[in-house]
Amino acid sequence: MAYIDGFLLAVPTASKEIYRKYALAGWPLFTDFGTLRLAECWGDDVPDGKVTDFKHAVQAKADETVLFSWLEFPSKDVRVACHQSVTGDPRFEEMGEMPFDGKRMIYGGFTTFVEKGTGGQMGHADCYVLAVPQANKEAYREMATSAADVFLDHGATRVIEAWEDDVPDGKVTDFRRAVKIKEGEAVVFSWVEWPSKEAREKAWPKLMEDERMKYDPQNMPFDGQRMIYGTFSPIVDESTEAGTSKRDVA
């Protein structure tokens, strides 16, 4: 299973194309040091929450859009070596200034513990960040594995659930603040890939009616009120396994 670097950030909406080109410019550098995939997903339906949400997580301004992004590596060792090599490579400096406020970017390393589906071209994604009690890890895994099968039955192509491994505290924002973490909890970074937005919208009502998705709120292995969720559209989706860009246009 892959090791995941997960990111949340706020990008000026008017700078969408600038950001896309910036992300694409870094892809050849990351592949040289073992990265398997880069996905940059632009907020499509990112609702306000009563307790937590993506916008508050990154302190998004009215003229900014939230991005849910990740890098995939074959192992944690490759991820660590990649970070060390990339930051010391002259090409990293040549990329120039980041087209967003890096102080509000949230990042961390996660170990994949549920992976279902073969993937393919991703046209849309349901994305989540949540806090799960460490003691409930296996109960959550069982629930997530069962839910993944339901998503795949209704047309999703891939489901990933990744458990926190290297999730640092930040000065301004971080994953723990994003989900209002409590003692004894871990952060989960997850997403569901769909072939298109239309496929996702067509499947969603059927998903909600599927008996396998009707859980008892009293027996959930995590606090759903603090779960962050939204739908996102990929603006960059690069994979070394595919050999070519999955999606390199907005």
Side-chain angles (χ1 to χ4, degrees):
M1 290 187 175
Y3 190 90
I4 307 296
D5 260 353
F7 303 88
L8 304 178
L9 54 151
V11 176
T13 303
S15 298
K16 180 179 181 180
E17 182 62 14
I18 295 172
Y19 180 85
R20 189 184 72 84
K21 290 180 178 179
Y22 179 85
L24 280 171
W27 173 240
L29 176 59
F30 280 103
T31 58
D32 283 351
F33 301 112
T35 307
L36 299 177
R37 186 184 185 189
L38 164 65
E40 301 276 1
C41 299
W42 190 262
D44 175 65
D45 180 11
V46 182
D48 295 332
K50 293 181 179 180
V51 181
T52 56
D53 59 46
F54 278 116
K55 295 172 187 174
H56 284 93
V58 294
Q59 299 180 14
K61 301 175 182 178
D63 62 347
E64 294 178 328
T65 297
V66 179
L67 261 81
F68 183 103
S69 307
W70 69 88
L71 293 166
E72 297 183 26
F73 301 91
S75 68
K76 181 178 180 178
D77 288 343
V78 173
R79 179 250 195 177
V80 171
C82 178
H83 281 206
Q84 294 172 342
S85 300
V86 165
T87 54
D89 194 294
R91 290 174 292 174
F92 183 73
E93 295 295 329
E94 292 170 2
M95 289 177 63
E97 185 177 352
M98 296 184 296
F100 61 92
D101 180 3
K103 292 180 180 179
R104 289 183 284 131
M105 180 180 72
I106 297 175
Y107 65 94
F110 298 81
T111 301
T112 301
F113 73 125
V114 174
E115 181 173 0
K116 289 270 194 172
T118 57
Q121 181 168 316
M122 175 177 58
H124 213 58
D126 283 295
C127 302
Y128 308 87
V129 181
L130 56 149
V132 178
Q134 296 273 4
N136 291 349
K137 182 176 182 179
E138 288 308 312
Y140 179 82
R141 187 205 302 267
E142 290 180 9
M143 186 195 76
T145 300
S146 175
D149 289 335
V150 182
F151 278 112
L152 295 174
D153 286 348
H154 288 282
T157 57
R158 188 175 184 230
V159 180
I160 295 290
E161 300 274 355
W163 190 267
E164 78 160 72
D165 174 68
D166 178 18
V167 178
D169 294 332
K171 293 182 178 180
V172 180
T173 57
D174 57 44
F175 276 114
R176 302 188 193 288
R177 294 183 220 189
V179 294
K180 299 186 183 296
I181 202 95
K182 296 180 180 179
E183 185 176 354
E185 293 181 331
V187 178
V188 171
F189 182 88
S190 66
W191 69 89
V192 179
E193 299 179 21
W194 298 91
S196 67
K197 181 177 180 178
E198 292 73 22
R200 188 264 182 191
E201 291 180 341
K202 183 178 179 180
W204 201 255
K206 299 176 183 178
L207 273 166
M208 294 300 98
E209 291 300 319
D210 196 304
E211 291 296 326
R212 294 172 292 174
M213 294 294 281
K214 295 181 179 179
Y215 304 106
D216 180 356
Q218 301 300 319
N219 293 322
M220 295 284 278
F222 66 96
D223 180 2
Q225 292 186 336
R226 289 184 285 129
M227 180 178 71
I228 299 174
Y229 63 93
T231 66
F232 294 76
S233 296
I235 57 172
V236 172
D237 189 0
E238 300 284 324
S239 172
T240 57
E241 294 179 352
T244 57
S245 301
K246 290 183 178 180
R247 178 177 295 271
D248 59 4
V249 295

